Amino acid sequence: MNKTKILIAGLGGIGGYFGGHLAKNFADDPQVEIYFLARGKNLEAINTTGLTVKTSNEQFTTKPTAAAANAAGFGVMDYILISVKSYDLDNLLTEIENNIGRTTVVIPLLNGVEGAQKIRTTFPQALVTEGCANIIVRLQQPGIIESFSSFKSLHFGIPNVLGRRLEKIQELFKRAEIDSTLTPEILEQIWFKFIFISAATATTSYYNASFGTIKQDESAMNTFRNLVEEACNLCAAEGIALRKQAKEKIVANLLNGPAEATTSMHTDILSGRGKSEVEALVGYPARRGADLELAMPLYTKIYQKLSANI
């Protein structure tokens, strides 16, 4: 019986959390191999002491079948989970070229809505799903992942498509105690998440403020609500119907969020490293709205300011 080989490409918070669960639960399974593509001190820590995953109700340390900064030696994979920032995606796709075969399934767990199509264009021979993760999780220090949310789920699928390869990885996720959903209605889930992240990212970065500060500032909250409105209009123009009371639920996500919380893009901007996901999270709605001749005045204004300052 052939072994099932799974590569986690990107060992930040999301990749570390889900990859850690896969490595832990298949450590003694001779039929499943888990590989990590990681970098620098994080890779060194994983290979030395293992990857530690912490949540409010568990903590464990595990090691994959192998971890390396270069995945070429791992060979062709059955499944690849991609979890990197949008600005690192092009380089990553070059790095995993040797891991893609004709039966490889690629599951992107990315911010934004453009990633899956970019992967399909690069690897037309692979089966590329849509996917998203719903979790608040951080790489706290090399080799240590910590989740801060009660929700820790991933959704994946291909619109109107099911099949054995997708069902098999769903079974493996479940065996690894991962809260996963395989759904052909994946685009609604992705856009619901995107609208929240995009509007929250734009607002926190524009005002240089945490969730708590935004909630106490009427102008900032109105900005967030208006961004949600514009993004929902864009979603409708794309022909995707959101769940009932989607706008109210998206606003509630911010209102119910921890006061000290902010977005990863805001954190990236504050770091001064010159890299952020502004193009994928704020620029995309502005550009796509222009393509569809849909007015996106607030997104356009904020994108112009943020892109000029990075």
Side-chain angles (χ1 to χ4, degrees), residues 195-204 207 211 214-215 217-231 247-255 263 298-299 302:
I195 291 168
F196 169 69
I197 289 180
S198 175
T201 285
T203 307
T204 55
Y207 286 91
F211 285 5
I214 290 167
K215 286 186 278 188
D217 184 327
E218 183 178 356
S219 175
M221 272 307 302
N222 284 337
T223 295
F224 177 71
R225 288 189 173 95
N226 289 333
L227 286 166
V228 170
E229 182 75 26
E230 288 186 6
K247 294 175 191 176
E248 293 82 357
K249 292 174 181 177
I250 291 168
V251 171
N253 283 343
L254 185 136
L255 293 174
T263 58
L298 196 49
Y299 263 105
I302 291 177

XYZ file of all heavy atoms in Angstrom, residues 195-204 207 211 214-215 217-231 247-255 263 298-299 302:
334
model
N -14.184 39.333 3.742
C -14.781 40.640 4.000
C -14.414 41.132 5.398
O -14.055 42.303 5.580
C -16.311 40.588 3.807
C -16.629 40.388 2.323
C -16.978 41.866 4.321
C -18.083 40.039 2.049
N -14.465 40.252 6.386
C -14.082 40.666 7.733
C -12.609 41.041 7.793
O -12.236 42.117 8.279
C -14.370 39.567 8.754
C -13.758 39.857 10.099
C -14.237 40.890 10.879
C -12.669 39.125 10.564
C -13.658 41.194 12.104
C -12.085 39.412 11.783
C -12.581 40.454 12.555
N -11.729 40.149 7.296
C -10.296 40.409 7.384
C -9.926 41.666 6.603
O -9.145 42.503 7.069
C -9.499 39.202 6.866
C -9.610 38.040 7.844
C -8.038 39.568 6.655
C -8.859 36.819 7.417
N -10.477 41.808 5.409
C -10.159 42.951 4.568
C -10.580 44.260 5.225
O -9.786 45.216 5.317
C -10.845 42.788 3.207
O -10.655 43.943 2.414
N -11.819 44.326 5.702
C -12.316 45.555 6.332
C -11.579 45.845 7.640
O -11.235 46.997 7.935
C -13.815 45.448 6.573
N -11.316 44.803 8.423
C -10.599 44.986 9.689
C -9.158 45.412 9.439
O -8.616 46.291 10.132
C -10.647 43.707 10.508
N -8.517 44.799 8.440
C -7.145 45.157 8.086
C -7.061 46.608 7.638
O -6.178 47.360 8.062
C -6.643 44.230 6.964
O -6.363 42.944 7.528
C -5.402 44.767 6.310
N -7.974 47.000 6.759
C -7.973 48.373 6.263
C -8.179 49.366 7.399
O -7.499 50.398 7.473
C -9.055 48.543 5.203
N -9.094 49.057 8.319
C -9.413 49.986 9.402
C -8.291 50.071 10.431
O -7.872 51.167 10.824
C -10.734 49.569 10.081
O -11.756 49.417 9.094
C -11.182 50.630 11.080
N -7.796 48.932 10.883
C -6.718 48.961 11.887
C -5.470 49.630 11.334
O -4.791 50.377 12.047
C -6.359 47.539 12.364
O -6.036 46.716 11.232
C -7.496 46.907 13.152
N -6.150 53.617 10.719
C -6.211 54.379 11.964
C -5.055 54.055 12.911
O -4.950 54.680 13.972
C -7.539 54.112 12.689
C -8.726 54.788 12.035
C -9.473 54.124 11.071
C -9.088 56.089 12.372
C -10.566 54.738 10.459
C -10.169 56.714 11.766
C -10.901 56.032 10.808
O -11.986 56.647 10.200
N -8.451 46.755 17.909
C -9.904 46.585 17.888
C -10.572 47.438 18.967
O -11.601 48.068 18.733
C -10.276 45.116 18.108
C -10.035 44.220 16.911
C -9.421 44.683 15.771
C -10.456 42.893 16.944
C -9.197 43.863 14.675
C -10.250 42.057 15.857
C -9.622 42.538 14.721
N -10.735 51.086 18.014
C -11.709 51.278 16.938
C -13.132 51.235 17.486
O -13.983 52.064 17.124
C -11.507 50.214 15.839
C -10.207 50.492 15.090
C -12.692 50.189 14.868
C -9.754 49.363 14.214
N -13.402 50.301 18.374
C -14.751 50.173 18.931
C -15.173 51.423 19.711
O -16.353 51.723 19.811
C -14.828 48.928 19.823
C -14.848 47.624 19.045
C -15.073 46.416 19.934
C -13.818 45.944 20.594
N -14.021 44.651 21.304
N -14.176 54.485 18.923
C -14.078 55.653 18.034
C -15.199 55.567 16.997
O -15.182 54.714 16.111
C -12.705 55.659 17.352
C -12.474 56.878 16.478
O -13.438 57.389 15.883
O -11.313 57.303 16.361
N -16.170 56.460 17.090
C -17.339 56.396 16.209
C -16.950 56.506 14.743
O -17.482 55.788 13.887
C -18.321 57.519 16.569
C -19.602 57.489 15.741
C -20.589 58.575 16.143
O -20.306 59.302 17.122
O -21.633 58.698 15.483
N -15.983 57.380 14.443
C -15.547 57.541 13.060
C -14.913 56.264 12.523
O -15.185 55.842 11.394
C -14.555 58.705 12.960
O -14.036 58.806 11.645
N -14.059 55.626 13.350
C -13.402 54.396 12.922
C -14.415 53.269 12.735
O -14.322 52.492 11.773
C -12.343 53.993 13.944
N -15.392 53.166 13.647
C -16.416 52.123 13.497
C -17.254 52.353 12.248
O -17.605 51.400 11.538
C -17.323 52.080 14.733
C -16.821 51.192 15.849
S -16.429 49.476 15.368
C -17.995 48.890 14.703
N -17.557 53.605 11.942
C -18.312 53.887 10.714
C -17.497 53.525 9.482
O -18.029 53.011 8.493
C -18.706 55.363 10.668
C -19.856 55.694 11.604
O -20.643 54.805 11.968
N -19.972 56.954 11.994
N -16.193 53.765 9.561
C -15.318 53.363 8.455
C -15.371 51.852 8.265
O -15.511 51.358 7.129
C -13.870 53.808 8.729
O -13.813 55.230 8.739
C -12.916 53.271 7.666
N -15.243 51.115 9.359
C -15.296 49.652 9.272
C -16.625 49.191 8.673
O -16.648 48.357 7.754
C -15.093 49.039 10.657
C -15.206 47.541 10.680
C -14.223 46.748 10.115
C -16.313 46.918 11.251
C -14.323 45.371 10.114
C -16.428 45.541 11.261
C -15.429 44.762 10.694
N -17.735 49.732 9.173
C -19.049 49.326 8.659
C -19.200 49.653 7.168
O -19.748 48.849 6.393
C -20.158 50.019 9.452
C -20.329 49.485 10.875
C -21.587 50.072 11.518
N -21.849 49.461 12.809
C -21.452 49.965 13.975
N -20.752 51.115 13.998
N -21.726 49.357 15.103
N -18.706 50.809 6.744
C -18.821 51.185 5.334
C -17.932 50.328 4.446
O -18.293 50.019 3.299
C -18.479 52.668 5.166
C -19.545 53.582 5.734
O -20.715 53.208 5.808
N -19.160 54.780 6.154
N -16.779 49.930 4.959
C -15.926 49.005 4.211
C -16.621 47.647 4.053
O -16.566 47.033 2.981
C -14.580 48.835 4.913
C -13.605 50.008 4.801
C -12.467 49.856 5.800
C -13.034 50.129 3.384
N -17.254 47.176 5.120
C -18.012 45.923 5.042
C -19.104 46.044 3.985
O -19.318 45.126 3.176
C -18.604 45.556 6.415
C -19.586 44.392 6.287
C -17.498 45.206 7.402
N -19.780 47.177 3.946
C -20.842 47.401 2.956
C -20.280 47.339 1.540
O -20.839 46.657 0.666
C -21.486 48.763 3.210
C -22.633 49.099 2.265
C -23.914 48.339 2.578
O -24.104 47.944 3.737
O -24.717 48.139 1.646
N -19.161 48.020 1.304
C -18.569 48.006 -0.030
C -18.123 46.599 -0.419
O -18.347 46.159 -1.565
C -17.372 48.964 -0.090
C -17.747 50.429 -0.071
C -16.563 51.362 -0.272
O -15.436 50.856 -0.544
O -16.747 52.584 -0.181
N -17.503 45.887 0.509
C -17.018 44.531 0.204
C -18.179 43.573 -0.050
O -18.079 42.693 -0.920
C -16.145 44.021 1.339
N -23.684 40.894 7.013
C -23.061 42.163 7.411
C -23.056 42.308 8.926
O -22.042 42.699 9.516
C -23.805 43.335 6.775
C -23.710 43.393 5.267
C -24.576 44.517 4.725
C -24.706 44.433 3.217
N -25.630 45.469 2.687
N -24.186 42.000 9.550
C -24.285 42.134 11.006
C -23.318 41.176 11.703
O -22.692 41.532 12.718
C -25.715 41.869 11.460
C -26.742 42.900 11.007
C -27.253 42.687 9.588
O -26.765 41.742 8.905
O -28.128 43.455 9.147
N -23.184 39.978 11.177
C -22.286 38.992 11.780
C -20.829 39.401 11.618
O -20.005 39.178 12.527
C -22.544 37.617 11.157
C -23.901 37.032 11.531
C -24.184 35.732 10.790
C -25.558 35.193 11.172
N -25.917 33.968 10.414
N -20.496 40.003 10.492
C -19.124 40.446 10.266
C -18.781 41.589 11.214
O -17.693 41.607 11.818
C -18.933 40.859 8.797
C -19.000 39.615 7.895
C -17.600 41.591 8.608
C -19.114 39.915 6.425
N -19.686 42.536 11.371
C -19.454 43.634 12.314
C -19.335 43.093 13.731
O -18.487 43.532 14.516
C -20.574 44.684 12.206
C -20.453 45.719 13.329
C -20.535 45.369 10.849
N -20.164 42.106 14.066
C -20.119 41.511 15.410
C -18.776 40.841 15.673
O -18.310 40.807 16.817
C -21.261 40.509 15.574
N -18.140 40.299 14.633
C -16.819 39.678 14.814
C -15.819 40.677 15.378
O -14.999 40.337 16.250
C -16.299 39.127 13.485
C -16.950 37.818 13.096
O -17.547 37.149 13.931
N -16.849 37.454 11.840
N -15.877 41.905 14.900
C -14.968 42.910 15.431
C -15.407 43.367 16.818
O -14.590 43.490 17.734
C -14.875 44.110 14.487
C -13.834 45.159 14.919
C -13.012 45.622 13.722
C -14.480 46.357 15.591
N -16.706 43.593 16.988
C -17.204 44.050 18.285
C -16.926 43.038 19.391
O -16.688 43.411 20.541
C -18.710 44.329 18.198
C -19.117 45.516 17.319
C -20.638 45.590 17.208
C -18.558 46.823 17.862
N -4.804 43.303 13.426
C -4.672 42.391 12.291
C -3.204 42.143 11.977
O -2.341 42.957 12.310
C -5.372 42.977 11.050
O -4.797 44.262 10.759
C -6.868 43.135 11.306
N -14.311 54.170 -0.502
C -13.563 54.100 0.745
C -12.355 53.169 0.603
O -11.256 53.476 1.080
C -14.478 53.646 1.878
C -13.981 53.882 3.301
C -13.499 55.308 3.505
C -15.097 53.552 4.297
N -12.565 52.022 -0.053
C -11.442 51.119 -0.293
C -10.357 51.808 -1.128
O -9.160 51.680 -0.851
C -11.904 49.847 -0.999
C -12.156 48.697 -0.059
C -13.450 48.311 0.267
C -11.100 48.006 0.525
C -13.687 47.256 1.157
C -11.321 46.961 1.401
C -12.609 46.591 1.716
O -12.827 45.559 2.586
N -8.442 54.400 1.099
C -7.560 53.794 2.091
C -6.407 53.063 1.410
O -5.257 53.118 1.869
C -8.369 52.863 3.019
C -9.314 53.704 3.900
C -7.443 52.010 3.889
C -10.212 52.891 4.799
